[in-house]
Amino acid sequence: MLYNTTANGNHWLLIQTIGKRATVTALETQIKLTSQSGSVQFNQVTTAGSYASSSDKRVHFGLGGDTLVKEITLRWPSGTVQTLHNVKADQILKVTEGAL
């Protein structure tokens, strides 16, 4: 059996969305993330993977060496826009529509 024992200094953030108005899973929520270094990433909540398959509905962002996310903007299917500031890396962040 082989094990990858390489030290990795990269950071990440996994966002789990919880909808209130449209659907509980908040599919199609658009997410914009601005990291500590200023890089911007976009993604969308989906389970579509490929033909006859699905994927995790949580949204994964790779942050490289950044340990903090400056800003996360979520545009929910209901039209609500929600912004979070100064979020720590290396966590599964549960975000509920409309909650701060």
Side-chain angles (χ1 to χ4, degrees):
M1 193 171 287
L2 300 173
Y3 291 98
N4 183 353
T5 57
T6 305
N8 186 341
N10 291 331
H11 299 280
W12 55 274
L13 183 67
L14 198 63
I15 299 176
Q16 179 180 348
T17 54
I18 303 165
K20 290 289 186 181
R21 293 188 184 176
T23 64
V24 175
T25 58
L27 291 175
E28 299 182 14
T29 299
Q30 298 171 347
I31 303 173
K32 175 185 173 188
L33 180 143
T34 306
S35 67
Q36 186 176 18
S37 63
S39 67
V40 177
Q41 297 182 53
F42 295 91
N43 210 330
Q44 181 171 314
V45 179
T46 183
T47 57
S50 62
Y51 178 73
S53 68
S54 65
S55 60
D56 190 348
K57 62 183 171 257
R58 299 175 299 178
V59 181
H60 180 270
F61 290 95
L63 302 175
D66 291 339
T67 59
L68 187 73
V69 175
K70 277 194 222 178
E71 185 175 274
I72 301 169
T73 303
L74 297 101
R75 192 170 300 275
W76 299 87
S78 66
T80 301
V81 177
Q82 188 173 353
T83 304
L84 308 171
H85 298 278
N86 300 320
V87 176
K88 292 182 181 180
D90 304 326
Q91 66 169 315
I92 298 172
L93 180 66
K94 291 183 181 181
V95 182
T96 302
E97 182 179 7
L100 293 177

